[in-house]
Amino acid sequence: MTGTDRHDDEGRIRNVRSKAALAAIAALVVIGYILVMPVLLSSFDGAPNDMIGAWLDRSTMNVWLLVAVTIIGLGCWIGAAALEKRYRPQGRMAGWRSLIRPVVTVVTGLCGFCVCFSLPMLCLLHLG
């Protein structure tokens, strides 16, 4: 029996997500957002878009660096999803905490969708 194992009334081991797993999932999600933020910001007109565009126009190496960092960010999100699935607690949650996982999943999915369409457009614009 490890420190994360809990027993129910009948003596069976119940799956409980450890705080370390929750911290790892949260860290991967946040790191993923930080890494894909330039691509997300370039989707909107304004000062961040102009700064990112000027940086990308300096060198084609900057474009490839942005592509690599964005792919790493998407990989962080995929890793967080895999960890969340592996350490998902069984049973139902009540209250406001039951809304956290679906909201994070939907927002991250929409951001991933935007990134997958914005990144090729950035590459075509600055490499062509």
Side-chain angles (χ1 to χ4, degrees), residues 83-104:
L83 275 176
E84 198 279 330
K85 183 172 177 142
R86 181 174 181 192
Y87 292 107
R88 180 179 299 160
Q90 302 297 318
R92 295 181 179 222
M93 291 177 65
W96 64 272
R97 288 186 175 185
S98 64
L99 298 175
I100 294 172
R101 184 169 41 104
V103 168
V104 169

Side-chain angles (χ1 to χ4, degrees), residues 1 5 10 20 30 32 41 43 58 64 84 93 100 102 115 123:
M1 180 171 93
D5 294 337
E10 297 175 7
V30 169
L41 288 176
S43 301
R58 286 187 197 162
W64 294 116
E84 198 279 330
M93 291 177 65
I100 294 172
V115 165
C123 290

Side-chain angles (χ1 to χ4, degrees), residues 1 6 13 32 34 40-41 43 49-50 61 67-68 70 79 86 89 96-97 99 102 105 108 118 122 125 128:
M1 180 171 93
R6 306 284 171 137
I13 294 177
I34 290 169
L40 289 174
L41 288 176
S43 301
N49 184 18
D50 297 338
M61 188 60 153
V67 169
T70 304
R86 181 174 181 192
W96 64 272
R97 288 186 175 185
L99 298 175
T105 301
T108 304
S118 297
L122 279 173
L125 182 66

Side-chain angles (χ1 to χ4, degrees), residues 17-44:
R17 179 170 28 199
S18 68
K19 289 184 182 183
L22 186 61
I25 292 167
L28 284 172
V29 169
V30 169
I31 290 169
Y33 272 109
I34 290 169
L35 292 176
V36 302
M37 192 58 65
V39 176
L40 289 174
L41 288 176
S42 68
S43 301
F44 302 103

Side-chain angles (χ1 to χ4, degrees), residues 38 51-70 119 123 126-127:
M51 288 174 38
I52 293 166
W55 181 72
L56 291 174
D57 285 336
R58 286 187 197 162
S59 169
T60 58
M61 188 60 153
N62 292 344
V63 176
W64 294 116
L65 180 65
L66 181 69
V67 169
V69 166
T70 304
L119 187 62
C123 290
H126 295 284
L127 289 177

